[in-house]
Amino acid sequence: MKSPRFHAQKADGLYQPIPFLFVTERMCREILDERDEIVAAMPATARKRQQALFARYDPNVSAEAFSGLLNLFDSRPA
């Protein structure tokens, strides 16, 4: 696996999500793809703990919030 862009490896070998204030839809897809890659490369014994750690931060929520923020400033007529 290549070096992750959106997660930092902790001392226990698990990966901590890097919190981002703004998450675009593309970035959200890339974060989720990276998570799949990380979990697939882990031993089965660590997968459940890793998935629980990932569950604490849902990039979809951040992407929706960012999209909502952009919509506030959308000046195009409806």
Side-chain angles (χ1 to χ4, degrees):
M1 182 178 83
K2 62 183 181 195
S3 181
R5 294 174 42 208
F6 305 106
H7 301 86
Q9 190 169 23
K10 301 181 347 167
D12 63 1
L14 297 180
Y15 288 83
Q16 177 72 40
I18 297 171
F20 292 96
L21 183 58
F22 299 113
V23 175
T24 64
E25 288 181 24
R26 176 181 166 196
M27 190 174 169
C28 181
R29 285 190 308 273
E30 290 174 354
I31 290 169
L32 294 172
D33 289 346
E34 186 173 280
R35 287 182 178 191
D36 289 343
E37 213 176 295
I38 288 170
V39 171
M42 293 190 131
T45 55
R47 287 182 185 158
K48 188 177 259 190
R49 289 178 38 231
Q50 182 62 66
Q51 288 169 330
L53 186 59
F54 283 161
R56 293 182 194 166
Y57 170 71
D58 183 358
N60 289 300
V61 172
S62 297
E64 288 172 13
F66 182 60
S67 178
L69 182 64
L70 291 177
N71 286 335
L72 287 175
F73 297 98
D74 187 3
S75 61
R76 291 178 288 174

